[in-house]
Amino acid sequence: MPTEQPALPGSQDPVPVSSLPARGRVYSGGYVESITVVPATEPPCFTAMVEDRDAVYRDPASRKPRARVRLVWIGQRRLPGVEAGTQLAFEGMVSTVGSYPTIYNPRYEIIGRPENET
């Protein structure tokens, strides 16, 4: 009897966003904090800033910096379902661009909420 495979390879042990390496292939996940939409005059590029899975429970009054990763999809103006507050699982090659760990064109999966949650 075949066993059910996870949607993304490596999804057995996700790495928290706060523990991402400076370089290399990673599987992680978190909540979309914000998205960036570029003007129509610029080349298509969709960017999402993602925080750790536990960021949804953070104290809003806390001033300490939060771990984030930038996900960039080149050639896309938008990704249906990817908006602020969406939970994602993602995989790709991470590198540091500017001061943020960045993954270009990651494989991703939108994690749904149970129907009884608001």
Side-chain angles (χ1 to χ4, degrees):
M1 176 180 255
T3 60
E4 187 175 323
Q5 294 293 319
L8 294 175
S11 60
Q12 297 83 357
D13 51 350
V15 175
V17 171
S18 57
S19 300
L20 288 177
R23 302 187 88 161
R25 179 163 292 283
V26 296
Y27 170 76
S28 186
Y31 287 89
V32 177
E33 176 195 24
S34 62
I35 61 170
T36 303
V37 179
V38 296
T41 57
E42 297 291 321
C45 178
F46 184 84
T47 303
M49 294 298 287
V50 177
E51 295 182 323
D52 269 327
R53 294 178 194 269
D54 61 350
V56 73
Y57 302 111
R58 71 179 181 270
D59 176 15
S62 176
R63 295 280 185 222
K64 66 180 186 176
R66 298 184 305 262
R68 294 188 234 171
V69 61
R70 178 188 299 135
L71 305 180
V72 181
W73 287 272
I74 304 295
Q76 301 293 319
R77 291 220 178 262
R78 64 187 217 68
L79 292 173
V82 178
E83 55 193 32
T86 302
Q87 185 178 4
L88 294 178
F90 54 88
E91 178 183 27
M93 294 297 288
V94 67
S95 62
T96 303
V97 177
S99 60
Y100 291 106
T102 303
I103 301 175
Y104 289 96
N105 296 322
R107 294 180 62 190
Y108 72 99
E109 176 181 8
I110 297 173
I111 309 297
R113 289 188 291 232
E115 288 184 20
N116 57 358
E117 277 190 30
T118 56

